[in-house]
Amino acid sequence: MNPTEHTLWVSVIIVGFVVVVAVAALLSLLIYLIKRIDGRVDTIGATLTAAKANTAETVLIPQVATGVEAVLAEGLQHHLFLGRVLGKVKS
């Protein structure tokens, strides 16, 4: 084997080794990120389950909604009344 062939072989082996190390590093990074995402998905799932359980047992939500509707209806009545009256009042 002449020196040129030897140099080419060594270069190809070094490049191949670098490629293998880079692929291994990228795969390791991918596995790490997938585990991290999976853990966060579990955390979000647990939080949503807890929120569902908290809101499923509340009895005040319909009562508050009824009260808010009543306040909005009263406000609309005032708005309509003031709109009619203020047009008739002279400054």
Side-chain angles (χ1 to χ4, degrees):
M1 182 180 308
N2 63 24
T4 305
E5 288 178 344
H6 179 70
T7 305
L8 286 175
W9 274 106
V10 169
S11 300
V12 168
I13 290 172
I14 290 172
V15 168
F17 182 74
V18 168
V19 168
V20 167
V21 169
V23 168
L26 289 174
L27 286 174
S28 297
L29 178 64
L30 180 63
I31 290 170
Y32 167 74
L33 291 174
I34 288 173
K35 286 181 181 178
R36 188 173 168 189
I37 290 170
D38 191 42
R40 289 185 177 182
V41 166
D42 291 340
T43 303
I44 291 171
T47 302
L48 291 175
T49 302
K52 180 181 174 185
N54 286 342
T55 57
E57 298 176 5
T58 58
V59 295
L60 294 178
I61 290 177
Q63 294 172 1
V64 170
T66 304
V68 169
E69 289 293 327
V71 169
L72 288 175
E74 183 71 22
L76 180 61
Q77 292 299 322
H78 285 281
H79 173 73
L80 293 173
F81 173 75
L82 291 174
R84 287 191 305 260
V85 170
L86 289 179
K88 296 179 182 179
V89 175
K90 299 199 185 222
S91 309

